[in-house]
Amino acid sequence: MKKVYIGLICFIIALFSYLLVNNKSTSKDLSSNINPSNIKLDENYIDVNLTAVGDILVHETQLLSQYNEVTKSYDFTSYFNEIKPYISNSDFSIANIETSLGGKEKTYSGYPLFNTPDEILYALKKSGFNMVTAANNHILDRGTDGLIRSAKTIKNHNLDLVGIKDTENSKTYLIKNIKGINIGFSNFVFETPMNKGNKTINSIVLDKNAEKLIDTFDPSNMEETLNKLKKRVNTMKKEGAEVLVFYMHWGDEYNSKPNAYQISIAKALNDYGVDVIIGSHPHVIQPMEFLYSSKTSKETLVAYSLGNFISNQRYDIVKKEGTEDGVILNFTIRKSLDDNSIKINKVDYIPTWVNKTPIGEEKYSYSIIPLHEEISEITSKYNKETLGKINASRRNTVNIMESFNSRFTVAPLK
């Protein structure tokens, strides 16, 4: 009997040991099948997605087309219906208006002296834009009063503003905390030759009051220009900007390549520590690239010109290729919460094309069409001639945008 008890005890011990070892082995096998990449851990970084577009102009034909005789008002919202999702889904979207907002009393007009109805701001805000850059060569088209009114009106539409201001004590730049990152924005416009000792923009004299209300640079005096830009960079950094975005109104109209002073300024801003440079004014697309500073190891994204976002400029009118083409530029700023380092994490873009169709006598419908890599969903809307223009526009945009650097891609269709 004693032998039986001893045998039974040994059996129980052996069985328990087997189960214990087998259980450990099973647990180990299960854990080894868990892929750590599938586990949602607390993110150790912040991503801010920013979107920028090119020139927004309202010509005489657009004024006529967007006017409602019944309401006695203008409506520009239809321009942005098709691109609204790409603007409103961004964390922060920037529009460049190339005009004065001088008010109805100063008479609305298109080229050569622009004065656009305030309703354009309502349409931009409704489409999801957050900020307007307004230092451009048409901001003085209704004089200093028009500049001041433009600044006030933009702010009254709850849009952030850079480039101009309505009072001397205000700032022409902005440092904005977006999702925990302090991003600084600046906007400068090129000066034209002096007139009797006075600075000019688009050959319009900047009076002494206006000089204090707008950020300008003189492309003929690079030493002065670079000192001014460097001072702005240092000021914004001292005020807490972790990322710097400079919007430059520069370049040669209808030229698809940046000129010498654009390249010089871009390289200098790269050395000074600017993260992103976005260009406007040429009314056609210019290339995009990353610049690398041998002095500081800084990498800077430069989009020399995003073309026309909306206007009445087209080949059959101005006889210039690419004036109907634009770009929605998307870039992601990533801040590491481990060491507070910041980098441009992702860049892509959406080519756009302005469609213009007649809707009556001397009136037209305008819309901005996003040209994704997969555009089959929109082709059923247009005839053969329009599709030819759409495809040519997309090819032109991709060829120019990526001619300096092949790292960039068209954003996928969402």
Side-chain angles (χ1 to χ4, degrees):
M1 179 66 71
K2 186 176 181 180
K3 291 181 179 179
V4 173
Y5 283 133
I6 292 172
L8 182 60
I9 291 170
C10 290
F11 173 78
I12 292 172
I13 292 173
L15 179 62
F16 180 78
S17 299
Y18 169 80
L19 292 173
L20 181 63
V21 171
N22 190 60
N23 182 60
K24 286 182 179 179
S25 175
T26 303
S27 299
K28 183 178 180 182
D29 289 342
L30 285 173
S31 63
S32 68
N33 288 331
I34 297 175
N35 184 351
S37 65
N38 294 331
I39 300 175
K40 181 70 173 178
L41 300 175
D42 291 335
E43 293 180 344
N44 63 342
Y45 59 83
I46 299 170
D47 274 353
V48 175
N49 301 308
L50 289 94
T51 295
V53 302
D55 297 335
I56 294 170
L57 301 100
V58 177
H59 289 90
E60 207 73 49
T61 306
Q62 293 165 267
L63 289 172
L64 179 63
S65 298
Q66 306 313 134
Y67 185 67
N68 187 315
E69 294 284 355
V70 176
T71 62
K72 306 297 181 185
S73 63
Y74 295 85
D75 186 353
F76 301 98
T77 55
S78 61
Y79 289 177
F80 310 105
N81 285 344
E82 295 197 48
I83 55 87
K84 182 178 179 180
Y86 310 106
I87 304 302
S88 59
N89 288 338
S90 184
D91 293 320
F92 197 76
S93 295
I94 309 161
N96 177 62
I97 56 165
E98 191 160 352
T99 186
S100 170
L101 299 161
K104 184 178 181 180
E105 297 76 14
K106 291 186 178 289
T107 309
Y108 298 135
S109 59
Y111 182 82
L113 296 175
F114 287 88
N115 185 32
T116 302
D118 298 348
E119 285 90 337
I120 190 65
L121 298 177
Y122 171 80
L124 292 174
K125 184 70 176 179
K126 187 176 180 181
S127 301
F129 285 100
N130 306 102
M131 187 175 79
V132 167
T133 61
N136 63 77
N137 62 306
H138 285 289
I139 193 61
L140 284 178
D141 284 2
R142 288 297 186 273
T144 303
D145 289 344
L147 184 155
I148 293 171
R149 186 186 184 281
S150 296
K152 288 180 178 179
T153 306
I154 290 167
K155 292 190 293 184
N156 287 341
H157 280 76
N158 295 316
L159 288 160
D160 289 325
L161 169 67
V162 291
I164 65 171
K165 58 185 180 181
D166 56 332
T167 65
E168 189 176 339
N169 295 327
S170 304
K171 293 180 178 179
T172 51
Y173 59 92
L174 173 70
I175 300 174
K176 192 173 186 70
N177 188 287
I178 306 174
K179 295 173 64 175
I181 304 178
N182 290 326
I183 304 177
F185 299 92
S186 265
N187 169 214
F188 288 80
V189 58
F190 67 95
E191 299 167 13
T192 43
M194 300 275 281
N195 183 341
K196 298 180 180 178
N198 297 306
K199 291 184 177 183
T200 71
I201 295 178
N202 214 26
S203 300
I204 299 174
V205 171
L206 265 170
D207 64 37
K208 297 305 178 183
N209 185 34
E211 271 193 54
K212 302 172 185 177
L213 304 177
I214 184 169
D215 283 333
T216 66
F217 69 93
D218 183 358
S220 68
N221 188 340
M222 289 301 292
E223 183 179 359
E224 178 188 271
T225 290
L226 297 184
N227 285 336
K228 180 184 288 189
L229 295 175
K230 188 174 185 179
K231 183 179 179 181
R232 171 59 55 81
V233 168
N234 292 337
T235 297
M236 296 176 77
K237 285 182 177 180
K238 286 179 182 178
E239 293 183 11
E242 300 172 274
V243 177
L244 294 177
V245 179
F246 272 53
Y247 225 111
M248 303 298 295
H249 203 80
W250 61 2
D252 299 323
E253 287 187 315
Y254 314 120
N255 194 327
S256 60
K257 293 182 180 180
N259 63 25
Y261 85 69
Q262 285 177 271
I263 293 172
S264 296
I265 289 174
K267 288 180 177 178
L269 290 175
N270 172 228
D271 286 337
Y272 300 159
V274 172
D275 297 271
V276 180
I277 304 167
I278 300 170
S280 58
H281 174 66
H283 304 303
V284 293
I285 293 163
Q286 293 181 343
M288 186 160 63
E289 67 176 333
F290 278 105
L291 295 179
Y292 180 81
S293 173
S294 59
K295 297 180 180 179
T296 65
S297 300
K298 179 74 177 180
E299 192 173 57
T300 301
L301 171 66
V302 186
Y304 289 99
S305 172
L306 299 184
N308 281 337
F309 197 49
I310 183 70
S311 78
N312 191 53
Q313 288 187 332
R314 27 206 337 108
Y315 182 78
D316 59 316
I317 296 174
V318 296
K319 304 303 179 187
K320 303 291 183 181
E321 297 281 357
T323 50
E324 303 155 38
D325 305 339
V327 166
I328 299 172
L329 174 63
N330 306 303
F331 56 98
T332 301
I333 297 170
R334 174 166 290 184
K335 178 179 180 179
S336 169
L337 299 181
D338 294 330
D339 59 8
N340 289 326
S341 63
I342 292 177
K343 65 178 181 178
I344 306 298
N345 188 55
K346 180 184 177 183
V347 181
D348 61 33
Y349 66 96
I350 303 171
T352 61
W353 180 73
V354 178
N355 187 33
K356 174 186 176 183
T357 55
I359 55 174
E361 187 175 351
E362 296 185 334
K363 285 199 172 189
Y364 299 86
S365 171
Y366 295 84
S367 60
I368 304 167
I369 303 174
L371 307 181
H372 283 283
E373 201 158 346
E374 303 172 31
I375 60 174
S376 58
E377 292 188 9
I378 69 169
T379 56
S380 60
K381 300 180 182 179
Y382 306 108
N383 59 34
K384 187 176 180 180
E385 180 183 0
T386 302
L387 286 177
K389 293 179 180 179
I390 287 173
N391 288 320
S393 171
R394 188 182 182 284
R395 285 194 303 270
N396 180 63
T397 297
V398 172
N399 288 339
I400 294 174
M401 286 290 284
E402 300 179 20
S403 62
F404 279 16
N405 194 307
S406 59
R407 288 170 60 177
F408 308 111
T409 58
V410 176
L413 185 62
K414 296 179 181 180

